[in-house]
Amino acid sequence: MRAIILFVGLLLSVSAHAFDLQQLSDQLAKPSVIHGSFTQEKHLRALPQPLVSKGTFVLAKDHGLLWLLKTPLQQDYRISAQGIARREANGWQTLPNKSAGAEQNRLFLAVLQGDSSGLQRDFELQLQGEATQWKLTLIPRSLLLKQVFTQINIDGGALVQKIELLETQGDSTVLRMQDSTAEQPLSDAEQHDFAQ
């Protein structure tokens, strides 16, 4: 009997301290600005080697995401609730909002900003781990997303560290967020980029 009481007590303490989606959302939503670098590997069935691109990013809670590609070509993108814009010689140009692309961008922002309520509309979420090391698996619910993805895996600690997109045709994308820091505010140039 005493063993059962100890076991029940142990279960209660584990469930009381279990890391849940709300805690993950709160943790990822805390920083107002995150700077970091990224490496993106696009694995295409038709190619023996992945296509690799590298760059830096700035995620600002109230503005969106600056995605600054450095290699293999230099190209700057701004992703926000209004859509995607690309930096051209004459300033930021909004790109056409294709439904699947727009959906992917909304999803990407939701993931990085820890918006689990936004993600739960479109995905079944399965969280494992604890605050310092967790894995979130997203299984698409909506028909549109089921046509594109079979599953999305996100790994992280204090911040998102890796995103893996598994597509229905067998292609995949692995995105590694490196050197992420929430220590520095937006620079004047970054504020200007978000304001345009």
Side-chain angles (χ1 to χ4, degrees):
M1 184 67 175
R2 186 166 169 210
I4 292 172
I5 291 170
L6 282 171
F7 181 69
V8 169
L10 181 65
L11 278 180
L12 288 173
S13 69
V14 167
S15 64
H17 298 292
F19 187 57
D20 63 23
L21 285 170
Q22 188 56 55
Q23 289 169 310
L24 176 60
S25 287
D26 293 346
Q27 179 173 310
L28 293 179
K30 259 185 208 158
S32 53
V33 178
I34 299 170
H35 290 84
S37 55
F38 68 84
T39 301
Q40 179 176 308
E41 295 175 8
K42 181 78 178 166
H43 297 264
L44 301 171
R45 288 171 309 159
L47 296 176
Q49 298 294 320
L51 301 172
V52 178
S53 54
K54 296 182 178 192
T56 60
F57 70 92
V58 181
L59 177 66
K61 187 192 288 190
D62 300 327
H63 303 288
L65 176 70
L66 291 176
W67 196 250
L68 312 171
L69 272 173
K70 305 290 185 208
T71 62
L73 64 129
Q74 198 159 350
Q75 186 65 71
D76 297 349
Y77 293 94
R78 182 183 62 207
I79 302 170
S80 67
Q82 290 75 44
I84 301 183
R86 182 173 52 213
R87 192 192 311 264
E88 304 290 346
N90 57 347
W92 291 97
Q93 300 297 313
T94 303
L95 300 177
N97 236 356
K98 299 184 182 87
S99 60
E103 197 69 15
Q104 276 186 316
N105 298 326
R106 193 176 61 76
L107 161 70
F108 195 53
L109 276 177
V111 165
L112 290 174
Q113 294 176 329
D115 176 13
S116 67
S117 62
L119 292 173
Q120 283 175 315
R121 280 192 303 267
D122 298 321
F123 295 93
E124 178 189 323
L125 305 181
Q126 300 164 357
L127 178 62
Q128 300 170 310
E130 54 198 46
T132 55
Q133 186 177 3
W134 50 266
K135 182 183 186 80
L136 181 63
T137 303
L138 287 70
I139 308 292
R141 290 184 206 266
S142 77
L143 193 58
L144 178 63
L145 287 169
K146 278 182 181 178
Q147 291 170 359
V148 181
F149 303 112
T150 56
Q151 180 174 319
I152 298 171
N153 302 315
I154 305 161
D155 295 32
L159 303 168
V160 173
Q161 296 165 344
K162 180 178 153 192
I163 301 172
E164 182 182 30
L165 307 164
L166 304 175
E167 298 175 27
T168 51
Q169 303 92 357
D171 297 341
S172 66
T173 303
V174 178
L175 192 55
R176 290 182 176 81
M177 324 294 271
Q178 299 132 337
D179 315 318
S180 297
T181 176
E183 302 300 312
Q184 60 191 95
L186 288 177
S187 68
D188 291 344
E190 290 161 355
Q191 287 182 24
H192 183 262
D193 283 340
F194 279 123
Q196 284 192 328

